[in-house]
Amino acid sequence: MNQPLPNAEEQEQQPPIRLPRTSESDTLKRIRHTTSHVLAMAVQKLFPQAQVTIGPWTETGFYYDFDKPEPVTDKDLKAIKKEMDKIIKQKLPVIREEVSREEAEKRIKEIKEPYKLEILRDIIKGDSISLYHLGEEWWDLCAGPHLESISELNPKAIAIENVAGAYWRGDENREQLQRIYGTAWETPEQLKEYKRRKEEALKRDHRKLGKQLGLFIFSDSVGPGLPLWTPKGAIVRSLLENFLKEEQVKRGYLGVVTPHIARTDLFKISVHWQNYKEDMFPMMAEDAESAAMERGFVLKPMNCPFHIQIYKDEMRSYRELPMRLAEFGTVYRYEQSGELGGLTRVRGFTVDDSHLFVSPDQLEEEFLSVVDLILTVFNSLQLQNFKARLSFRDPESDKYIGSVENWNKAENAIRSAVEHLEMEHFEAPGEAAFYGPKLDFIFHDVLEREWQLGTVQVDYNLPDRFELEYVAEDGSRQRPVMIHRAPFGSLERLIGILIEEYAGDFPLWLAPEQLRLLCVSDEFLDYAREVVAKMQAVGLRAKIDTSGERLAKMIRNGEKQKIPVMAIVGAKEVESNTLSLRSRASGDLGTMSVEEAIAKLTTCDRNKEKL
């Protein structure tokens, strides 16, 4: 007997489909690595002149880069997927073969694949050289892992997504390649859910919504990765800055302002010059001799060396500690053009930076206080879905400065703090900054994408390098510990994430325009102006629609621009000195006096409540 279909209520109660990241699933890692090889084999079958380069997995799929004489078109992508399906039906085994370096070089030269030859030369001597074969028809240099047979792939759980340009080895001076992106899952249901989330992500794309809402623009005349904030966008920035500044004042932070440029010598002491030189904008030197000696000025990539100079300007006493210096400081990084992405990856961004100078015995209490501030910020922004990452040093890497003893002390301090808070966390060796370990807050948005927001870092090394001191209670000179802290991280990235998280529907307290008055006719404009003046006098952001459009069109425009509250003004409202309010979040709020409306809006704005 057939089972009845689930009703709508039962369907709603079914658990959501989970889409694990590749790094979380060994099965997906094998599926996607194998599928990328099937893609490369299909491309070379259809286009024999195409040469393969690299084909790694990504967190949601995979890609392969090709050097192909003719551009790949959408029609080609369909043909490639069809050819992949044919290959999968052959159920070819995936065979791993270890060969000597000489044998690998010989085979690569035989098939005339120069990119593979370059990859081979970069493999460290002594490491095994492994080839992966798809049956007897195709092979590539690869470390794996892979499935045992391509018969384990489900063609209905695979999609070829798009093609983009890429430079070989990410070098703009090297060959330009064509990168084909794809995704692969265990089941067709997962693929369907992935596509649904992608469609939703397009609707929420902060670049699209930012333009629609008039928050920011990019100009070719200014340059890529350098956003220009419109009056509305500037309001959102100011609201966020003021909110955090108020919280910081309550917690004893001291505001400072530092310049955008500094001598290279400053960053040599902090080791930013040695570690970030390739990501910094070029040095400005006074003459050729100075340039040769790398003495000049650079746009700052970090704020910490500046705050250190303020601390160091005079001898500090233990009575002054902890000293908490804070700044919304704009920094500059020369990101590659291919890595830029709206507000989430830019070349000039503002960090809600603070550096706390504390005595060793104050470290844990101050660290816990910083975490409390970050959690307060997240709660106010309605960001609840996050986890804590303990970003520690990789003992095998040589990129870190300072002694192992200092690193162990810093890492133990962070570990002790999160355990004290009973906070869910995981450790990530290799994710630390070069000068100290971090506690990073990894936020999962409404589409289950990961973003790093707040961060706290414990640093014993920069105080050593800059020889920072304070006079202890016993009169001795002691070294302070630094805490680097940024609840927002990049203000630009945060706003981009918030636009997508809210789908452009900012909560009332963050909306650049909180209330819009819609006059049925121009004869009611004077009354509307009086109302707006009263609201603006108490800090509410109210405006009048003066477009002259018909009422229905004004309402549609207000909905499109996601105005939180709208009020229709007609003869009835003017006569009774009232407003008829309608909220995007709650619908019709009814008719109330102007004073009642102001009180209601002001309370919700101040308490960051929904209306």
Side-chain angles (χ1 to χ4, degrees):
M1 183 176 179
N2 292 332
Q3 294 292 323
L5 293 172
N7 58 37
E9 184 177 349
E10 289 172 333
Q11 286 179 332
E12 287 179 4
Q13 293 176 351
Q14 292 176 356
I17 295 174
R18 184 171 181 272
L19 300 182
R21 293 163 184 78
T22 308
S23 57
E24 300 171 332
S25 169
D26 185 65
T27 299
L28 279 180
K29 195 175 292 182
R30 294 175 185 277
I31 286 173
R32 289 168 177 169
H33 224 147
T34 304
T35 308
S36 74
H37 280 211
V38 174
L39 165 66
M41 179 177 172
V43 168
Q44 290 197 309
K45 271 181 169 287
L46 293 172
F47 311 101
Q49 290 183 316
Q51 293 181 329
V52 298
T53 61
I54 58 171
W57 53 264
T58 67
E59 287 291 13
T60 58
F62 58 90
Y63 68 80
Y64 227 110
D65 287 349
F66 299 91
D67 189 340
K68 181 177 174 292
E70 298 298 324
V72 176
T73 65
D74 289 340
K75 185 178 178 182
D76 292 334
L77 294 180
K78 292 177 183 177
I80 290 167
K81 177 59 170 67
K82 191 173 180 180
E83 185 64 30
M84 289 174 68
D85 292 348
K86 288 181 184 177
I87 293 170
I88 293 171
K89 286 180 181 178
Q90 295 178 39
K91 301 182 179 180
L92 301 172
V94 180
I95 304 165
R96 184 178 187 275
E97 179 188 13
E98 271 196 34
V99 298
S100 67
R101 185 177 296 271
E102 293 73 22
E103 177 62 21
E105 184 173 348
K106 175 188 170 187
R107 294 192 195 182
I108 292 170
K109 287 180 177 177
E110 285 175 354
I111 59 174
K112 298 178 181 178
E113 290 274 14
Y115 295 100
K116 288 184 183 180
L117 203 58
E118 191 171 333
I119 293 170
L120 175 66
R121 288 168 183 159
D122 285 345
I123 297 175
I124 299 171
K125 288 187 177 181
D127 288 357
S128 62
I129 309 296
S130 58
L131 312 179
Y132 275 88
H133 300 257
L134 300 185
E136 297 181 356
E137 299 188 39
W138 190 89
W139 63 268
D140 196 4
L141 281 169
C142 190
H146 288 274
L147 300 171
E148 292 185 2
S149 168
I150 61 175
S151 63
E152 298 176 55
L153 297 174
N154 186 336
K156 293 182 179 179
I158 297 171
I160 300 303
E161 299 183 278
N162 62 286
V163 62
Y167 290 104
W168 174 233
R169 298 295 173 93
D171 186 342
E172 294 178 357
N173 299 313
R174 298 294 302 274
E175 298 85 345
Q176 186 162 15
L177 309 173
Q178 296 182 67
R179 176 170 294 177
I180 298 178
Y181 286 96
T183 189
W185 299 88
E186 294 184 65
T187 67
E189 290 75 21
Q190 285 180 319
L191 176 61
K192 183 178 179 182
E193 173 63 11
Y194 170 76
K195 288 182 174 180
R196 184 197 70 78
R197 291 188 189 179
K198 279 198 70 175
E199 289 175 6
E200 182 65 22
L202 287 174
K203 294 176 187 175
R204 293 170 177 263
D205 190 325
H206 72 276
R207 292 165 292 190
K208 174 185 172 185
L209 286 174
K211 184 176 180 61
Q212 177 184 320
L213 301 176
L215 299 175
F216 61 89
I217 65 169
F218 287 93
S219 166
D220 287 338
S221 297
V222 174
L226 300 168
L228 304 174
W229 294 90
T230 64
K232 284 186 176 180
I235 289 173
V236 176
R237 283 179 63 104
S238 295
L239 290 167
L240 286 167
E241 286 188 26
N242 292 339
F243 156 62
L244 186 55
K245 285 177 180 177
E246 289 173 8
E247 285 293 329
Q248 290 177 163
V249 168
K250 295 175 190 175
R251 297 166 187 257
Y253 284 80
L254 305 171
V256 297
V257 178
T258 63
H260 293 239
I261 65 172
R263 295 183 187 277
T264 52
D265 288 347
L266 180 69
F267 297 111
K268 288 177 183 178
I269 299 173
S270 69
V271 199
H272 287 106
W273 181 254
Q274 296 88 322
N275 283 274
Y276 277 88
K277 185 178 178 181
E278 296 302 318
D279 297 319
M280 294 168 68
F281 279 86
M283 178 182 64
M284 296 171 280
E286 294 180 353
D287 50 51
E289 183 181 354
S290 297
M293 298 177 69
E294 294 189 331
R295 288 184 178 172
F297 291 85
V298 288
L299 287 168
K300 64 178 177 181
M302 299 281 186
N303 295 303
C304 35
F306 295 80
H307 293 187
I308 287 172
Q309 296 306 304
I310 293 174
Y311 175 90
K312 196 178 179 181
D313 183 58
E314 58 186 85
M315 177 54 67
R316 305 294 175 177
S317 163
Y318 72 94
R319 299 179 188 277
E320 297 177 76
L321 304 185
M323 178 177 285
R324 310 176 187 96
L325 303 182
E327 173 183 22
F328 277 86
T330 302
V331 298
Y332 302 89
R333 312 272 176 83
Y334 189 68
E335 304 285 0
Q336 296 296 319
S337 58
E339 296 175 341
L340 299 174
L343 295 179
T344 56
R345 196 74 178 265
V346 291
R347 286 175 169 161
F349 56 95
T350 304
V351 183
D352 56 323
D353 233 340
S354 179
H355 297 92
L356 290 73
F357 301 87
V358 306
S359 62
D361 62 320
Q362 294 170 334
L363 176 59
E364 183 170 354
E365 182 181 355
E366 284 300 307
F367 191 94
L368 293 173
S369 179
V370 167
V371 172
D372 180 69
L373 172 60
I374 292 174
L375 296 179
T376 298
V377 167
F378 285 1
N379 184 58
S380 296
L381 295 175
Q382 302 170 26
L383 303 177
Q384 305 296 334
N385 187 14
F386 60 86
K387 55 187 176 183
R389 181 180 73 193
L390 277 58
S391 299
F392 287 171
R393 178 180 67 100
D394 177 1
E396 302 300 320
S397 174
D398 61 358
K399 74 174 184 177
Y400 305 101
I401 64 171
S403 68
V404 173
E405 179 187 2
N406 278 347
W407 275 91
N408 289 340
K409 284 193 293 186
E411 290 181 357
N412 288 334
I414 293 176
R415 191 181 287 112
S416 173
V418 296
E419 289 173 356
H420 174 84
L421 292 167
E422 298 182 350
M423 183 182 294
E424 183 182 347
H425 62 277
F426 67 100
E427 295 190 8
E431 293 295 328
F434 68 86
Y435 50 82
K438 305 182 292 176
L439 170 60
D440 294 321
F441 289 84
I442 309 301
F443 168 66
H444 285 212
D445 69 11
V446 70
L447 297 174
E448 290 299 315
R449 296 170 300 185
E450 281 191 353
W451 303 96
Q452 181 186 322
L453 289 179
T455 185
V456 197
Q457 304 168 13
V458 176
D459 181 7
Y460 284 84
N461 291 314
L462 289 187
D464 273 348
R465 294 193 65 82
F466 282 94
E467 300 180 344
L468 302 186
E469 292 181 332
Y470 68 92
V471 179
E473 191 170 3
D474 62 3
S476 64
R477 301 289 180 89
Q478 300 293 331
R479 189 81 77 209
V481 184
M482 281 181 67
I483 299 176
H484 306 243
R485 172 245 74 170
F488 291 165
S490 158
L491 187 57
E492 284 73 11
R493 181 175 59 184
L494 174 67
I495 293 175
I497 291 169
L498 290 178
I499 291 171
E500 297 191 1
E501 180 70 4
Y502 301 148
D505 268 320
F506 284 102
L508 183 73
W509 75 276
L510 262 183
E513 183 180 342
Q514 295 174 310
L515 171 70
R516 180 173 293 183
L517 274 64
L518 314 177
C519 295
V520 175
S521 75
D522 287 351
E523 64 182 288
F524 307 120
L525 281 173
D526 287 342
Y527 174 77
R529 292 189 186 103
E530 291 176 11
V531 172
V532 166
K534 290 179 181 178
M535 291 191 167
Q536 290 178 343
V538 296
L540 293 172
R541 298 180 293 282
K543 289 187 177 180
I544 305 168
D545 186 329
T546 56
S547 65
E549 299 282 359
R550 297 178 62 180
L551 181 61
K553 181 69 178 293
M554 287 192 286
I555 292 173
R556 283 197 300 274
N557 288 342
E559 289 289 334
K560 186 177 179 182
Q561 293 174 36
K562 304 183 187 292
I563 308 301
V565 185
M566 289 189 283
I568 297 173
V569 176
K572 178 182 173 184
E573 286 74 25
V574 173
E575 193 175 307
S576 58
N577 192 35
T578 59
L579 290 173
S580 298
L581 301 181
R582 180 171 182 79
S583 161
R584 276 182 62 82
S586 307
D588 189 10
L589 299 177
T591 300
M592 60 190 76
S593 70
V594 173
E595 288 70 25
E596 287 175 324
I598 290 174
K600 192 175 187 67
L601 287 165
T602 302
T603 299
C604 291
D605 179 49
R606 181 176 59 249
N607 298 331
K608 299 178 175 56
E609 298 172 348
K610 291 183 179 179
L611 184 66

